[in-house]
Amino acid sequence: GELASRADRLGRACAALAETFAVGRALSEGIDVALVGPVNAGKSSLFNRLVGSERALVADEPGTTRDYVEARVVWNGVPVTLVDTAGWRSASGIEQRGIEIGEKRAQRADVCVELIPAEFLGEKDTGRREQGAGNGGRGIRVISKGDELEGGAGGMIVTSAVTGVGIEELKAAIVGALTWL
């Protein structure tokens, strides 16, 4: 009986320790956060705003981001690797290969931030949601281009790389994702 009791206590202690592993790893090594969404959703603009400098090329023409770009930042003491991925759309050749590489990188991320451009609100689907907010339940859906928003956002975080609206709220949500790990 004594041995069974000790084994039970030890098992509970091990289980409690194991539950802290993911958060401990994230605090020491950081978390990977992929920005995903349709082409021209503002992923690169938001990426640059979150990084605090121009790291990704931004243009009005679709397909500017061909694969993915990474940058490391620290928010509230948590190291974060941001990943800007190519936008979802039908493509061919090298652009299609870049989209596929970005999708694979996003699948390895701890958190995916799916951008939904304000002009897409009310549309049935934004593209490839299974790759975005469906990342094992570790997704954050946000409205991008919030400076163009007319009306409500259905409770989602509204961001604007142009005005800075929602940037601090998004950072807090990303750091808060540590509780998901």
Side-chain angles (χ1 to χ4, degrees):
E2 174 68 25
L3 187 57
S5 177
R6 290 176 101 186
D8 184 51
R9 283 194 309 271
L10 184 58
R12 285 194 308 268
C14 287
L17 183 59
E19 288 179 15
T20 66
F21 174 77
V23 173
R25 180 199 58 83
L27 288 173
S28 64
E29 297 175 17
I31 58 175
D32 285 354
V33 178
L35 303 178
V36 300
V39 68
N40 280 29
K43 294 177 298 299
S44 296
S45 296
L46 184 61
F47 175 85
N48 287 340
R49 184 72 179 222
L50 290 168
V51 170
S53 66
E54 185 178 18
R55 289 276 294 115
L57 296 174
V58 175
D60 288 336
E61 89 181 49
T64 303
T65 304
R66 288 293 179 108
D67 46 24
Y68 65 86
V69 178
E70 294 186 7
R72 191 129 166 127
V73 294
V74 177
W75 297 328
N76 296 336
V78 178
V80 176
T81 299
L82 289 169
V83 182
D84 177 26
T85 64
W88 304 326
R89 73 172 178 167
S90 295
S92 60
I94 193 74
E95 185 179 355
Q96 180 59 39
R97 182 71 181 118
I99 292 169
E100 292 167 1
I101 289 171
E103 287 176 349
K104 286 180 183 175
R105 179 62 181 94
Q107 288 172 352
R108 292 191 324 264
D110 297 305
V111 177
C112 281
V113 176
E114 180 184 355
L115 277 67
I116 302 166
E119 67 264 22
F120 282 25
L121 285 181
E123 290 190 16
K124 183 177 172 187
D125 197 343
T126 62
R128 305 265 260 303
R129 286 181 36 202
E130 71 279 1
Q131 295 297 110
N135 188 26
R138 299 180 314 266
I140 300 170
R141 297 183 82 204
V142 302
I143 305 301
S144 59
K145 303 182 181 184
D147 48 304
E148 300 174 7
L149 182 64
E150 295 179 17
M156 287 187 274
I157 298 171
V158 175
T159 63
S160 170
V162 174
T163 66
V165 165
I167 299 301
E168 293 306 315
E169 186 179 358
L170 177 57
K171 287 179 182 180
I174 290 168
V175 170
L178 284 171
T179 61
W180 302 346
L181 304 177

